[in-house]
Amino acid sequence: MAQLVVALDVPSAGQAERLVDELYELDVLFKVGLEALYGYGDRIFAHMQARDVRHFIDAKLHDIPRTAGAAARQLVRPGTHIINVHAIGGNDMMRAVVDGAAGRADELGITAPHVFAVTVLTSIGGEDLNELGFRGGLGENSMRLSALARDAGCSGVICSAHEVRDLKRYFGEDFLTLTPGIRPTGTVHGDQKRVTTPAEAVAAGADYLVVGRPITEASEPLAAAKAILEEMR
């Protein structure tokens, strides 16, 4: 069963805490992105631990292997279910993150988090790849970077739902996929270029669906989250 991840991409700790308080009984995960991590990380982690909820730390690690692995160790804490890296950091860097996260989890006596590798951001369209120096199309690049992630020991990848079906076919069902760019029917796309509805992502085989603004900016976030969960079912 696919799981919903609510992105706490809001400017203040108070807003993030209210969202956790309103939604935690739905058994969703919460994504702590760069805005929250840099702005009020310690406070929101403490709040989520008090609520006993799982979280995804969207730090998108990308550095030399030693630094990335050390950063992964610092990120892991009770409740950490997923952390992520950029696949273009290469095999050694991804492996260092996997090993660092697993080592820290073992020290804490908790289950090691999944490490997911970012393939191509869902804000990137096919027309942007040449400008960035990539050869080939979106699907080809996603497949190549996914193979690197698998070989480095990552649990799966972060990709557009448009690529999920092909990735599952090639790498198998146990290779997990986390899909941003999820927009319920009738909502605006914002800065996302490759979007799908919750139902389309689940039908493609996605394991985790990340939804932010359609929930966090809704007048009733709980009702919005329940509607998305219903569409996923």
Side-chain angles (χ1 to χ4, degrees):
M1 178 67 180
Q3 298 182 66
L4 175 62
V5 182
V6 178
L8 299 176
D9 296 331
V10 293
S12 74
Q15 287 175 275
E17 289 171 342
R18 285 192 293 275
L19 285 164
V20 171
D21 289 344
E22 189 164 359
L23 303 175
Y24 79 98
E25 291 185 342
L26 296 179
D27 193 30
V28 298
L29 283 80
F30 293 94
K31 181 179 84 72
V32 178
L34 297 180
E35 183 176 14
L37 191 61
Y38 294 156
Y40 46 87
D42 287 345
R43 180 169 161 179
I44 193 58
F45 285 129
H47 192 76
M48 290 190 297
Q49 186 169 348
R51 285 296 195 188
D52 192 27
V53 296
R54 297 172 299 154
H55 55 263
F56 158 32
I57 304 179
D58 186 18
K60 296 186 179 72
L61 297 173
H62 187 191
D63 212 308
I64 62 173
R66 186 267 165 202
T67 300
R73 288 183 57 84
Q74 295 296 326
L75 290 174
V76 175
R77 62 199 69 220
T80 305
H81 187 70
I82 301 168
I83 62 175
N84 64 350
V85 300
H86 270 295
I88 58 173
N91 183 289
D92 290 347
M93 187 205 74
M94 287 188 282
R95 175 63 67 179
V97 169
V98 171
D99 291 345
R104 180 56 176 161
D106 186 61
E107 291 173 4
L108 295 173
I110 60 177
T111 302
H114 293 299
V115 175
F116 282 78
V118 178
T119 55
V120 181
L121 294 171
T122 50
S123 59
I124 299 293
E127 68 278 6
D128 301 312
L129 291 180
N130 286 336
E131 179 182 332
L132 294 171
F134 285 81
R135 291 180 295 177
L138 290 164
E140 178 184 347
N141 280 285
S142 180
M143 186 70 71
R144 181 167 59 247
L145 292 168
S146 295
L148 286 175
R150 176 202 58 188
D151 293 345
C154 292
S155 299
V157 292
I158 299 173
C159 62
S160 165
H162 295 287
E163 283 108 47
V164 167
R165 194 169 270 112
D166 286 341
L167 292 174
K168 289 286 189 178
R169 186 180 299 119
Y170 188 81
F171 296 108
E173 292 298 320
D174 291 339
F175 192 66
L176 303 175
T177 54
L178 185 152
T179 56
I182 304 298
R183 292 290 185 267
T185 303
T187 58
V188 297
H189 292 184
D191 52 4
Q192 299 283 12
K193 293 185 178 180
R194 292 180 289 138
V195 303
T196 58
T197 67
E200 289 168 340
V202 171
D207 299 288
Y208 298 88
L209 280 62
V210 180
V211 180
R213 283 166 283 190
I215 294 175
T216 62
E217 295 181 0
S219 58
E220 297 184 20
L222 179 60
K226 286 181 176 179
I228 291 169
L229 287 167
E230 183 60 31
E231 184 175 346
M232 288 170 62
R233 285 191 287 268

